[in-house]
Every structure is written in structure tokens, then in C-alpha cells.
Amino acid sequence: MRALDLDYMLGLVPVLLGYVPLTLGMAAAGMALALILASLMAVERVFQVPGLDPLVKLFISFFRGTPLLVQLFLFYYGLPQVLSFLTNINGVTAAIMGLTLHFSAYMAESIRAAILGVDRSQWEASQAVGMTQIQMMRQIVLPQAARVAAPTLINYFIDMVKGTSLAFTLGVTEMMGATQKEAAGSFLYFEAFLVVAVMYWIIVEGMSFLQRQLETYLNKAYAR
């Protein structure tokens, strides 16, 4: 059994750190877009708009029921053959698109559950003072639902950060893609993948710490 090449591992760290911004950037862009789309779908699912509700259900069912890797391949390799304007789509755009649609399907259900968890008296009181449904959702329901949904949404963001590791299959050189190239050049696969695994671990633990801090902050107003 050979010893680990610690010098190689230490030298690899600064190389991979250079790709952290791209990894986190793809996750942040995907999260922002997914949050907008998921919120719209969640509100639709609550009010069940005729004609639109079956389409939203189909969307959620498809993206929850198929693997993320398959969806990435579908967007990057498949859609350009059907939609000519997507011929020049790059790997980063396809990855963000895949992350957005995949995780929005999960987030929509979480947000819907949080909305339905708001006490019905809040809904009734809003209607009693003459608020429209849009005003009620924006000013009363969604702020309360956000507190409930926040921990789950942060978990999805953490999953999204890990999901960016699949972007290397589309030719994107992010943390995982850079590791693959470095390992192929050195043949030190164990050391290379161990380094990137620890780096992902540290990033996730940092986000988990921030999640706990956010939960504490959000729950202060409800402390008895």
C-alpha cells in the first residue's frame, strides 16, 4: 500500500480554490431562479388555477421523477437538436437551467406546504379588511411561510452546490471538472478526489452553520 502524496494534495488545494467561485456562482444563480419559479408554482398550486394546474403538476412530477444528470444531458445535448436557437448553448447555461428546473420542482412543494401551514385565521383576517389575494399573499401569507420554508430551502441550496459537480459532464471546468483533469494528468486519483471531497465537505459545513444561525434568528420573534 503506497503512502498518500501529501505534497501533491496540498498543491492541489489552491488550484481547486480558483474554481470555487464558479461552483458557488452556478448554485447561486440556479437558486435565485428556482426560488422565483418555485414560488410562482407554489402559489398556483394553492389556488389551483383551472387549465394551468395540470401543467404545473406535470412539470413537478417530471422534474421530481427523473435524475438530474438525465435532465442536464437533455438540455445540453437534446434540446439543441429540437430548438435551433439553443444550438450555441454553453455548459454553464445548461447546468444552471437544469439546476433551476430540477430543484424548483422540489422547492415548489415545500413552499406550498409552508403556505398552507399559515393559520387560516390569517387568511380570513386579510380578506375581512378588504385585501386582494395578491396583497394577502405578499404582505401576510408569504412572509410567514418564508420563515417555515427557509431551513428546507437552504438544504436545497446545499444540495444544489453538490449538484454542480455534475456540470463537468457538460464540459464545465468547475471544482469537479478541474479535479478530473488534474487526476488524469497525475494519475493520483485517490488524492485528487479526496481533496475535492474535503473541500465540498467544508463548504457544506459552512453553509450548515449559517443555516443554524438563520434559524435561530428567524425563531427569535416567536420565542416564548
Side-chain angles (χ1 to χ4, degrees):
M1 180 178 178
R2 69 176 179 84
L4 292 177
D5 191 333
L6 296 180
D7 289 337
Y8 171 77
M9 295 174 69
L10 291 174
L12 186 58
V13 171
V15 175
L16 297 186
L17 283 175
Y19 295 95
V20 170
L22 177 58
T23 295
L24 296 181
M26 288 193 297
M31 184 66 183
L33 295 172
L35 187 57
I36 295 172
L37 180 58
S39 298
L40 293 174
M41 291 193 294
V43 171
E44 189 288 322
R45 291 287 293 116
V46 169
F47 292 106
Q48 298 182 352
V49 180
L52 185 58
D53 197 51
L55 296 178
V56 173
K57 285 182 179 179
L58 179 63
F59 177 95
I60 292 174
S61 176
F62 177 80
F63 283 98
R64 282 167 59 100
T66 55
L68 175 57
L69 183 59
V70 173
Q71 293 166 16
L72 292 177
F73 278 22
L74 181 63
F75 296 136
Y76 188 63
Y77 298 109
L79 283 184
Q81 295 183 345
V82 180
L83 304 174
S84 58
F85 66 90
L86 291 177
T87 302
N88 296 322
I89 188 173
N90 59 45
V92 173
T93 302
I96 293 174
M97 185 189 303
L99 292 170
T100 296
L101 299 182
H102 180 83
F103 283 97
S104 68
Y106 288 91
M107 291 163 60
E109 290 297 282
S110 296
I111 296 173
R112 181 176 73 93
I115 291 173
L116 294 176
V118 175
D119 195 286
R120 295 304 299 181
S121 63
Q122 300 286 320
W123 299 63
E124 294 166 0
S126 302
Q127 293 170 342
V129 298
M131 282 188 172
T132 65
Q133 288 186 337
I134 294 177
Q135 290 174 325
M136 176 182 67
M137 293 300 295
R138 186 179 71 249
Q139 299 179 28
I140 305 297
V141 178
L142 287 180
Q144 295 183 64
R147 184 187 69 86
V148 176
T152 301
L153 297 179
I154 294 175
N155 281 333
Y156 284 132
F157 180 62
I158 291 173
D159 287 340
M160 196 176 291
V161 170
K162 292 185 287 186
T164 60
S165 62
L166 295 176
F168 89 96
T169 62
L170 308 184
V172 179
T173 305
E174 37 65 71
M175 284 174 60
M176 189 63 185
T179 303
Q180 180 71 18
K181 291 181 179 180
E182 291 292 332
S186 65
F187 295 103
L188 297 175
Y189 290 97
F190 183 78
E191 285 90 338
F193 290 121
L194 180 59
V195 169
V196 77
V198 171
M199 290 181 67
Y200 274 115
W201 182 28
I202 292 172
I203 291 172
V204 168
E205 284 300 307
M207 291 180 177
S208 297
F209 172 77
L210 294 177
Q211 177 187 20
R212 292 190 293 271
Q213 296 300 111
L214 178 61
E215 288 182 40
T216 301
Y217 174 78
L218 292 175
N219 288 329
K220 279 184 179 179
Y222 294 83
R224 292 289 185 263

